[in-house]
Amino acid sequence: MEHSVQNFVDDIHNDDYYRNYLEPEYTAASMICDAGRETEKLDGLWNFSPDQYDYCLRGKWYEEQHFDDKGLSLPADYDFEDWEKIKVPGVWNTQKKEYFYYEGPGIYTRTFQYRNHGEKKVILKCGAVYYSAKVFLNRQFVGFHKGGSTPFYIDITKYLCPENRIIIIADNTRRHTQLPSVNTDWFNYGGITRSVELIRLPELYIKDFSISLVKGTADKVAGYITADSAGSSTVKQESATAHIIVKELGICLEVSLTGESDGLLHGNFSFKAPLILWSPDTPKLYAVDVSAGTDHICENIGFRSIEVRGQHIYLNGKALYLNGVSAHEESAENGKAVTEEEITENFRIAKEMGCNFMRLAHYPHSENAARIADRMGILLWEEIPVYWLIAFENQETYSDAENQLTELIRRDKNRASVIIWSVGNENPDTDARLSFMSRLAQLAKKLDPDRLISAACLVDTVHLKIADRLEQYLDVIGLNEYYGWYNPDFEKLPLLMNNSNPAKPVIISEFGADAMSGTYGTTDEKGTENCQEYIYKRQTELFSRIPYIQGTTPWILFDFRTPRRMSRYQHGRNTKGLLSADKKHRKLAFYVMQEFYRKRGTTPEL
């Protein structure tokens, strides 16, 4: 007979404590459309502490148990109100030097007041928490989310009180089964990196909304509305009526919503109107108002078409060359928690260089990026972090990738600026990877048949050609190559181009070289701006002669942090930027790209 343990202490002997905090997991299924809604931000200063041993979970600090069942006081290893305060949104790495390299759980907490104003449901939206989030409200665990760059939504209605304490545990621990995995080439920031908001909803509310130009037309628009009933004490509605108003176009539609097996109300709509199509030169947006019952949302929408014919890309029926640049979501001051002003600055500098296109690498950037790009006229490539080598044979990893992709598409599907969904970057062409990424490509096409699908692929170095089995599932081939730099034999690049004749357009999604800002020398001295400039000149001279290349996004707009780069000209940064990390200095290669794009223009030779 097994001995009965009499001295088991849960917080020090239970190694499976974390299993209690994996359900409910919030995924794309819980998302709601929040465009143009009035929200209440919980941004500002939150109390914070790193929690290296995960004791908020092990010791159940969130229960705030200060007395035993006899009323005797208990000692506590925490004091939420006595902790230091840090900014939300923000990353802990840049707010205190001792936290710069910290990886692990970090506890955020604050209090807030709540009074019902007639709403039936209250949703907590977290724009992004890196990498996973566990959320507690008033001593209760309310939900878990993983994926550090996409938003999640939690129904907190039943947990709310007049006085509330919220706790969010952000955990940026790198794990083999996560996306990205343990090995990347950017900084592993941690924290609540985007806004935390409360959304109040009526009994009938708009859960999802999609609108776009119908393929093959220049004047027909179609879309759908999905609504839900938030009243838990009432019977679900079987039908409802929604309205769509586009005042500038004289459109006022009534849309019938009917119930389906998923318990939601659905309705489709279409209309014709004389449209000014959205483009980088004319980023025209229309105010689209949608209402159902007392619920109302408003989106500024651009209408445009994007398609591939043979080796060319067409925007609104016109052949288009993508003059682009890659960018990370980072700033010297704020790390991953970039501000709207910083995003706007990045686009402004890109346009100064002659860009009409930006690759947002290697994970979903802030939703503000696509909204600002809509206004400024910048086309976007958006990507999920299926990066380098991940656990391609692990089903949990695939489910994570599928959810991150779905959350990204659900979030940005109404943004005219977004023309490409990318399912990964620089992955080995194995059978497991092909199965994993081809399923993602097919999912992206199913969720959004109107946009292009791509991935940043590697060169087939054995046959020296553009050849990746994933290409059959892509609309546009992304190619990362660093001839003249990692592969110093530049003469292999023209051979590679001559050996290849893809049936689809190619975007050179990465090329470049490191250069320490303000450091000069000969073209042979690695790490100098002169060497970087020389490589850019040779690359762009070749690109202009290759007919299937229909865009370039050099690596990268500005220098960024990465702990794996520790040479004398890197010092903890990837210095392949065309600008310095603070974006105050333009390197010589910046002007090479500026001149290339000026001569290249946006219309390819057909």
Side-chain angles (χ1 to χ4, degrees):
M1 179 180 293
E2 185 178 348
H3 174 66
S4 177
V5 179
Q6 303 299 316
N7 60 352
F8 183 86
V9 181
D10 188 68
D11 68 308
I12 62 176
H13 297 137
N14 181 6
D15 204 33
D16 287 332
Y17 69 95
Y18 64 92
R19 297 187 185 278
N20 295 322
Y21 307 103
L22 301 179
E23 295 290 341
E25 180 178 356
Y26 285 84
T27 64
S30 67
M31 295 179 75
I32 68 166
C33 182
D34 59 342
R37 292 187 185 276
E38 289 187 7
T39 67
E40 296 159 273
K41 290 184 184 296
L42 298 183
D43 296 350
L45 294 176
W46 289 47
N47 293 101
F48 173 80
S49 176
D51 188 17
Q52 190 174 13
Y53 291 171
D54 218 7
Y55 244 81
C56 189
L57 300 185
R58 289 179 184 272
K60 300 181 180 178
W61 291 354
Y62 56 86
E63 291 185 348
E64 299 187 73
Q65 187 175 351
H66 297 298
F67 299 92
D68 70 6
D69 54 5
K70 295 182 179 180
L72 301 175
S73 64
L74 296 169
D77 294 320
Y78 62 93
D79 189 340
F80 295 143
E81 293 305 315
D82 190 55
W83 288 353
E84 65 186 318
K85 292 180 181 290
I86 66 173
K87 291 188 302 182
V88 171
V91 295
W92 60 62
N93 317 78
T94 60
Q95 297 192 57
K96 189 174 182 179
K97 64 180 181 179
E98 288 84 357
Y99 301 155
F100 188 69
Y101 284 115
Y102 176 68
E103 295 185 354
I107 308 169
Y108 289 80
T109 183
R110 63 160 289 171
T111 59
F112 66 93
Q113 296 179 343
Y114 167 75
R115 184 165 64 91
N116 187 282
H117 296 298
E119 64 275 3
K120 296 296 184 180
K121 184 188 286 281
V122 179
I123 301 293
L124 176 75
K125 176 191 177 183
C126 294
V129 178
Y130 205 88
Y131 170 79
S132 68
K134 297 177 180 69
V135 181
F136 302 82
L137 186 61
N138 298 328
R139 301 179 173 85
Q140 299 292 314
F141 174 59
V142 298
F144 167 67
H145 179 265
K146 61 183 176 182
S149 299
T150 45
F152 60 95
Y153 301 75
I154 300 178
D155 181 355
I156 59 171
T157 312
K158 66 181 180 182
Y159 303 101
L160 284 167
C161 301
E163 299 286 337
N164 300 272
R165 174 173 295 284
I166 184 172
I167 298 171
I168 299 178
I169 301 176
D171 188 350
N172 69 335
T173 303
R174 289 170 295 128
R175 294 181 173 90
H176 177 62
T177 55
Q178 290 182 170
L179 293 171
S181 188
V182 294
N183 184 23
T184 71
D185 191 16
W186 64 87
F187 199 89
N188 186 35
Y189 291 107
I192 302 175
T193 63
R194 299 178 196 147
S195 289
V196 180
E197 301 169 83
L198 298 180
I199 304 172
R200 302 177 189 241
L201 297 173
E203 183 158 1
L204 179 71
Y205 69 95
I206 300 160
K207 181 174 174 62
D208 195 12
F209 164 65
S210 178
I211 186 169
S212 61
L213 190 70
V214 174
K215 263 188 176 180
T217 75
D219 63 352
K220 187 175 182 181
V221 170
Y224 64 81
I225 300 170
T226 301
D228 194 5
S229 175
S232 59
S233 62
T234 60
V235 178
K236 285 278 187 179
Q237 291 184 234
E238 295 182 358
S239 65
T241 300
H243 293 87
I244 295 180
I245 297 174
V246 189
K247 190 174 181 180
E248 187 175 350
L249 296 174
I251 300 296
C252 183
L253 293 181
E254 188 174 280
V255 182
S256 296
L257 307 178
T258 55
E260 295 186 9
S261 57
D262 59 4
L264 302 174
L265 302 173
H266 299 270
N268 298 316
F269 63 87
S270 65
F271 62 83
K272 279 192 170 187
L275 300 170
I276 298 173
L277 297 184
W278 186 99
S279 74
D281 293 329
T282 310
K284 173 63 178 175
L285 301 176
Y286 294 92
V288 179
D289 289 275
V290 184
S291 61
T294 61
D295 195 28
H296 170 261
I297 61 173
C298 181
E299 291 235 53
N300 292 316
I301 303 289
F303 299 106
R304 56 99 192 99
S305 65
I306 190 75
E307 60 183 319
V308 163
R309 302 178 206 160
Q311 293 180 333
H312 291 86
I313 300 168
Y314 290 80
L315 178 70
N316 300 329
K318 298 179 180 178
L320 175 73
Y321 192 91
L322 295 172
N323 296 331
V325 68
S326 297
H328 261 299
E329 184 178 50
E330 182 180 278
S331 76
E333 179 181 357
N334 297 307
K336 187 174 171 62
V338 296
T339 65
E340 290 190 37
E341 292 75 18
E342 289 169 330
I343 296 168
T344 301
E345 180 187 32
N346 292 343
F347 289 144
R348 180 186 58 77
I349 294 170
K351 289 175 78 75
E352 176 194 335
M353 196 169 72
C355 294
N356 59 8
F357 179 58
M358 186 178 285
R359 178 189 178 205
L360 302 184
H362 285 296
Y363 40 75
H365 290 210
S366 166
E367 64 194 271
N368 290 328
R371 294 185 183 278
I372 294 169
D374 272 6
R375 297 195 299 266
M376 293 183 67
I378 292 282
L379 297 159
L380 296 179
W381 159 315
E382 293 195 336
E383 189 165 292
I384 59 170
V386 180
Y387 182 85
W388 287 359
L389 184 63
I390 63 168
F392 287 115
E393 297 179 355
N394 185 289
Q395 180 55 42
E396 180 184 348
T397 305
Y398 178 76
S399 296
D400 189 0
E402 187 175 85
N403 186 62
Q404 289 191 45
L405 179 62
T406 305
E407 287 178 335
L408 173 61
I409 293 175
R410 284 279 302 272
R411 190 193 74 179
D412 287 351
K413 63 181 179 297
N414 288 331
R415 304 279 69 81
S417 54
V418 180
I419 59 168
I420 293 175
W421 305 120
S422 170
V423 296
N425 177 80
E426 292 186 355
N427 316 103
D429 190 1
T430 65
D431 290 345
R433 175 263 195 170
L434 179 63
S435 172
F436 189 106
M437 294 182 69
S438 63
R439 282 181 286 161
L440 289 177
Q442 290 169 316
L443 172 65
K445 188 59 74 174
K446 177 182 177 181
L447 293 173
D448 184 0
D450 294 332
R451 286 182 175 84
L452 308 179
I453 311 301
S454 189
C457 301
L458 290 166
V459 172
D460 180 344
T461 55
V462 174
H463 302 97
L464 202 60
K465 64 185 299 187
I466 300 171
D468 188 311
R469 290 182 293 169
L470 185 64
E471 291 170 11
Q472 62 184 301
Y473 300 96
L474 307 178
D475 299 308
V476 176
I477 301 167
L479 182 70
N480 291 1
E481 54 86 6
Y482 284 93
Y483 287 97
W485 187 246
Y486 293 124
N487 193 323
D489 185 0
F490 187 85
E491 297 310 317
K492 288 183 178 179
L493 184 57
L495 290 175
L496 163 72
M497 297 300 177
N498 291 334
N499 289 343
S500 306
N501 187 27
K504 300 173 181 180
V506 171
I507 296 173
I508 304 298
S509 40
E510 291 184 28
F511 68 95
D514 282 274
M516 181 181 286
S517 181
T519 301
Y520 304 97
T522 69
T523 57
D524 298 314
E525 291 183 80
K526 283 185 166 36
T528 65
E529 288 195 32
N530 306 83
C531 179
Q532 184 190 49
E533 176 192 40
Y534 178 66
I535 290 171
Y536 266 77
K537 284 181 177 179
R538 298 194 72 185
Q539 288 266 354
T540 54
E541 286 169 1
L542 180 60
F543 296 157
S544 62
R545 303 196 300 267
I546 308 301
Y548 54 76
I549 294 178
Q550 294 301 307
T552 55
T553 55
W555 191 261
I556 189 168
L557 183 59
F558 52 85
D559 297 345
F560 61 93
R561 294 184 180 103
T562 170
R564 67 184 291 269
R565 305 280 180 174
M566 302 303 282
S567 76
R568 60 185 175 83
Y569 49 81
Q570 295 169 319
H571 303 292
R573 291 189 186 275
N574 185 315
T575 54
K576 293 183 183 66
L578 296 166
L579 286 79
S580 57
D582 61 9
K583 294 178 276 192
K584 293 181 180 179
H585 176 75
R586 285 150 177 73
K587 301 179 189 178
L588 297 175
F590 176 92
Y591 300 102
V592 175
M593 289 309 303
Q594 188 180 60
E595 180 65 11
F596 175 65
Y597 287 153
R598 185 187 68 80
K599 291 181 178 178
R600 168 81 259 185
T602 60
T603 304
E605 295 181 7
L606 300 181

